[in-house]
Amino acid sequence: MRAVIVAVGVAFLISLFCTPIAIKVFARLKAGQPIRSNLGLASNEGKKGTPTMGGVVFILATVIAYVAGHLALTTLPDLQIAQVEPTITALVLLGLMVFSGAVGFIDDFLKVRKRHSGGLNKRGKLLGQILVGAVFGVVALYFPSTMTDAKGTATNTETVGSTTLSFIRDIPALELTKVGAVILFIFVVMAATNGVNLTDGLDGLATGASVMVLAAYGLIAFWQYRHWCADPSYTRDYCYAVRDPLEIALIAGAAAGACVGFLWWNTSPARIFMGDTGALGLGGLIAGMAMSTRTIMLLPIIGGLFVIITMSVVIQIISFKTTGKRVFRMSPLQHHFELAGWSEVNIVVRFWIIAGICVAIALGLFYSEYLANVT
């Protein structure tokens, strides 16, 4: 727990105090977010020129906080050595965040350079997401843990990901091949990155929702660490067969802390936007959290707000192409309510409430499954 707290605190402070520096740097570089003024959205007024690519700050803060958390771990001599040293789990999770963010950075850079909201074309962005998902999906499924006890006996041979579909844990009846599991993971990465990206658009909306989702995964991972099958001191039959749960909790906590620090400057009226850099980076990390905690089918509940907003876009497209009519005034859903006369702050707060309810339901399901098996 000490290491997680250190990571959260370091990430928060770096993000809080470095974001103003990023605002000045991006403003000097004229890296302002291109704004379409013909949409009739009240939230767009006065936002032209607001610096974008702010996701760079909380991505770097997360990586630095991870290192700080590991320095704190070295002061705990009774901890498993495989949890003290950097692991493949950290490589996968941080790699997903950094390289998904890199795809978003290219998109943001092209928008700024062209002074147009187009950015990277859909095919390029899609190929980038597929490549990131495929590379880290392979790493997650083909490199098992080598944790051993004092006698040299293997105590944990888990991979970061699993070839089995999972809800609260792996479901043995839903076994996939490794190739099938990698394809599934690519889909999860694409869904999560696009879900967070579509949710972004109002000041603080995606950032605040991501804080709740990441905090939930931090709690899930830490609970798994306290009830971990590979822990020689844990004697109960009921445990979680995952790899490096403390690593997952540390990274989830660091990312959540970094987002809270960024939210100080990103909330209405935003002084900086996360851009696709931040949205895709957060989506990639959230996808990795679902895979590494073996809760892939729980992700649509934890990230319920992202699902709702994504489905509003899907419904709008299908309806318009099949009937020529629009279900919503505009999609994504937050802009429908803008055109209905809701203020930006009201929409953000109410959507945060929805996100919090979804997270609470998911955590309730996770804990209920544990209670059902230990009582």
Side-chain angles (χ1 to χ4, degrees), residues 327-338:
V327 177
F328 307 103
R329 291 180 172 89
M330 183 183 291
S331 65
L333 188 61
Q334 60 268 34
H335 298 315
H336 166 83
F337 289 106
E338 271 196 278

Side-chain angles (χ1 to χ4, degrees), residues 156 158-159 169-170 227-230 239-243 292 294:
N156 186 17
E158 296 288 339
T159 52
R169 58 176 63 244
D170 285 339
H227 305 82
W228 190 25
C229 296
C239 59
Y240 295 94
V242 295
R243 173 172 176 166
S292 58
R294 312 294 170 85

Side-chain angles (χ1 to χ4, degrees), residues 27-369:
R28 189 173 301 167
L29 295 174
K30 297 182 179 179
Q33 174 71 42
I35 301 293
R36 294 175 62 184
S37 58
N38 61 342
L39 298 179
L41 298 175
S43 65
N44 283 353
E45 296 180 7
K47 293 188 178 181
K48 186 176 181 180
T50 301
T52 187
M53 296 187 283
V56 170
V57 178
F58 60 72
I59 290 173
L60 289 176
T62 301
V63 174
I64 295 171
Y66 168 76
V67 175
H70 265 273
L71 291 175
L73 283 178
T74 60
T75 66
L76 303 175
D78 58 328
L79 208 61
Q80 291 288 341
I81 186 65
Q83 286 285 296
V84 173
E85 297 177 348
T87 64
I88 292 292
T89 301
L91 172 66
V92 170
L93 294 179
L94 294 177
L96 283 166
M97 188 181 199
V98 170
F99 285 94
S100 294
V103 174
F105 182 86
I106 294 171
D107 186 40
D108 287 332
F109 177 79
L110 291 176
K111 289 177 184 177
V112 171
R113 186 176 181 181
K114 297 176 181 178
R115 304 297 176 188
H116 188 271
S117 59
L120 188 64
N121 62 47
K122 292 181 180 179
R123 181 177 297 179
K125 190 180 292 187
L126 184 66
L127 287 174
Q129 292 168 339
I130 291 173
L131 180 61
V132 171
V135 169
F136 289 102
V138 168
V139 174
L141 287 157
Y142 284 83
F143 292 88
S145 172
T146 56
M147 182 185 292
T148 59
D149 59 20
K151 298 179 180 179
T153 304
T155 60
N156 186 17
T157 57
E158 296 288 339
T159 52
V160 179
S162 173
T163 56
T164 304
L165 276 175
S166 57
F167 181 52
I168 304 298
R169 58 176 63 244
D170 285 339
I171 304 172
L174 300 178
E175 182 75 25
L176 303 171
T177 63
K178 284 191 175 182
V179 173
V182 171
I183 293 172
L184 172 64
F185 181 60
I186 293 171
F187 172 77
V188 174
V189 169
M190 292 170 60
T193 52
N194 286 302
V196 178
N197 198 22
L198 289 171
T199 303
D200 192 25
L202 298 183
D203 295 351
L205 177 57
T207 310
S210 296
V211 169
M212 298 181 208
V213 172
L214 290 166
Y217 274 118
L219 290 172
I220 287 171
F222 193 76
W223 185 262
Q224 290 176 332
Y225 173 67
R226 296 300 298 269
H227 305 82
W228 190 25
C229 296
D231 184 354
S233 66
Y234 186 72
T235 57
R236 291 187 179 181
D237 293 334
Y238 190 78
C239 59
Y240 295 94
V242 295
R243 173 172 176 166
D244 309 318
L246 187 58
E247 288 277 85
I248 304 168
L250 194 153
I251 294 170
C259 285
V260 172
F262 181 77
L263 185 60
W264 183 273
W265 305 101
N266 180 235
T267 193
S268 183
R271 301 255 326 260
I272 188 170
F273 301 138
M274 69 166 67
D276 281 19
T277 305
L280 298 190
L282 288 173
L285 177 60
I286 289 169
M289 290 287 163
M291 174 183 64
S292 58
T293 57
R294 312 294 170 85
T295 56
I296 284 180
M297 290 193 289
L298 190 64
L299 175 58
I301 301 175
I302 294 180
L305 178 65
F306 303 140
V307 174
I308 292 168
I309 289 176
T310 302
M311 289 307 300
S312 74
V313 176
V314 173
I315 291 168
Q316 186 86 322
I317 292 172
I318 293 174
S319 176
F320 187 73
K321 287 190 174 182
T322 56
T323 68
K325 296 181 179 179
R326 292 180 172 86
V327 177
F328 307 103
R329 291 180 172 89
M330 183 183 291
S331 65
L333 188 61
Q334 60 268 34
H335 298 315
H336 166 83
F337 289 106
E338 271 196 278
L339 293 179
W342 290 24
S343 71
E344 181 177 12
V345 172
N346 277 341
I347 296 169
V348 170
V349 172
R350 287 168 181 171
F351 276 37
W352 280 352
I353 292 171
I354 293 171
I357 291 171
C358 292
V359 164
I361 292 171
L363 290 176
L365 289 171
F366 180 84
Y367 188 60
S368 296
E369 191 268 350

